[in-house]
């Protein structure tokens, strides 16, 4: 077996944890199950992670990172603000649809963490991370589309998180693609209404 760096080993264990959590549920995920899935000794876990809480946080961040829209998304020349925003949101949504089990897992981790005093901060950090990522995404969206927001960015990020989080959970429950895309397009229209072209 090739020797992996600490970073590569963390990645290996985080991916193993995601597979175990999806297969067996968060409550049934133990460090032993994770190292068995990864095919590494138990000591490797303790070398890479200080706690199960840190592993959970890494899992959430890993899922979030790979479900962002492609950074190199290009808008057609002459696109309206609504068209540009809609394209970015649809690129994000394609990632949701491609990995539904991972998105379902994020909700399960949140609920599990909130019910356990020792893990409650995982849920708080999870949603702080979501807000930070959503804010950065809105900044990148505005930059890519040549726009500026007329709403205070922290407020817009919280609003957007509520919309996208709710849309994702609703879609995970009913899998109504047409309604999900219609609602996403409505959010794009809202964002276009609070955006102005940069001079």
């Amino acid at each position: 077996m090739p020797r992996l760096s600490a970073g590569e080993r963390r990645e290996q264990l985080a991916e193993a944890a995601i597979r175990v959590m999806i297969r067996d549920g968060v409550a049934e995920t133990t460090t032993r199950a994770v190292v068995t899935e990864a095919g590494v000794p138990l000591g490797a876990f303790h070398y890479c992670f200080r706690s199960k809480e840190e592993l959970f946080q890494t899992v959430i961040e890993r899922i979030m990172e790979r479900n962002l829209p492609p950074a190199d998304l290009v808008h057609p020349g002459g696109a309206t603000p609504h068209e540009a925003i809609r394209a970015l949101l649809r690129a994000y949504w394609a990632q949701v649809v491609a990995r539904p089990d991972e998105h379902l897992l994020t909700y399960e981790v949140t609920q599990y963490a909130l019910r356990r005093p020792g893990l409650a901060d995982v849920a708080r950090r999870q949603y702080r991370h979501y807000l930070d990522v959503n804010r950065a995404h809105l900044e990148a969206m505005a930059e890519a589309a040549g726009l500026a927001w007329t709403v205070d960015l922290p407020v817009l990020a919280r609003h957007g998180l509520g919309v996208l989080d709710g849309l994702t959970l609703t879609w995970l429950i009913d899998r109504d693609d047409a309604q999900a895309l219609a609602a996403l397009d409505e959010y794009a229209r809202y964002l276009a209404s609070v955006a102005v072209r940069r001079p």
Side-chain angles (χ1 to χ4, degrees), residues 20-34:
V20 172
M21 289 176 178
I22 288 172
R23 185 183 65 231
D24 302 335
V26 174
E28 301 302 316
T29 298
T30 63
T31 53
R32 250 179 227 292
V34 171

Side-chain angles (χ1 to χ4, degrees), residues 63-85:
I63 292 172
M64 187 73 172
E65 284 163 12
R66 68 172 163 237
N67 285 291
L68 292 174
D72 58 353
L73 190 64
V74 176
H75 302 289
T80 66
H82 174 254
E83 290 165 344
I85 291 166

Side-chain angles (χ1 to χ4, degrees), residues 84-125:
I85 291 166
R86 182 177 182 267
L88 283 163
L89 289 174
R90 289 239 174 172
Y92 161 78
W93 193 255
Q95 306 294 331
V96 172
V97 173
R99 298 183 180 91
D101 290 342
E102 289 187 3
H103 286 277
L104 185 58
L105 174 58
T106 64
Y107 292 103
E108 189 178 351
V109 168
T110 306
Q111 295 296 317
Y112 179 83
L114 284 173
R115 290 184 175 275
R116 282 153 185 82
L119 290 176
D121 198 48
V122 168
R124 285 188 285 273
R125 284 201 314 269

Side-chain angles (χ1 to χ4, degrees), residues 38-197:
V40 300
L42 186 58
F45 178 89
H46 298 293
Y47 176 71
C48 295
F49 296 99
R50 290 186 298 270
S51 64
K52 193 172 177 182
E53 178 180 333
E54 186 180 355
L55 172 67
F56 279 17
Q57 190 65 35
T58 302
V59 162
I60 290 297
E61 289 171 5
R62 183 76 63 252
I63 292 172
M64 187 73 172
E65 284 163 12
R66 68 172 163 237
N67 285 291
L68 292 174
D72 58 353
L73 190 64
V74 176
H75 302 289
T80 66
H82 174 254
E83 290 165 344
I85 291 166
R86 182 177 182 267
L88 283 163
L89 289 174
R90 289 239 174 172
Y92 161 78
W93 193 255
Q95 306 294 331
V96 172
V97 173
R99 298 183 180 91
D101 290 342
E102 289 187 3
H103 286 277
L104 185 58
L105 174 58
T106 64
Y107 292 103
E108 189 178 351
V109 168
T110 306
Q111 295 296 317
Y112 179 83
L114 284 173
R115 290 184 175 275
R116 282 153 185 82
L119 290 176
D121 198 48
V122 168
R124 285 188 285 273
R125 284 201 314 269
Q126 176 186 358
Y127 273 78
R128 277 198 304 269
H129 181 68
Y130 286 177
L131 281 170
D132 289 345
V133 168
N134 202 34
R135 180 175 177 157
H137 183 247
L138 285 165
E139 288 174 332
M141 182 188 297
E143 182 68 30
L147 304 171
W149 303 115
T150 60
V151 174
D152 189 44
L153 197 54
V155 173
L156 194 59
R158 185 171 288 269
H159 177 258
L161 175 58
V163 170
L164 295 174
D165 210 29
L167 280 177
T168 301
L169 182 57
T170 303
W171 178 80
L172 286 169
I173 294 166
D174 66 18
R175 303 299 169 106
D176 190 328
D177 294 318
Q179 285 295 304
L181 288 174
L184 196 71
D185 289 350
E186 191 60 39
Y187 179 48
R189 274 188 284 277
Y190 165 73
L191 286 177
S193 78
V194 296
V196 291
R197 289 257 186 222

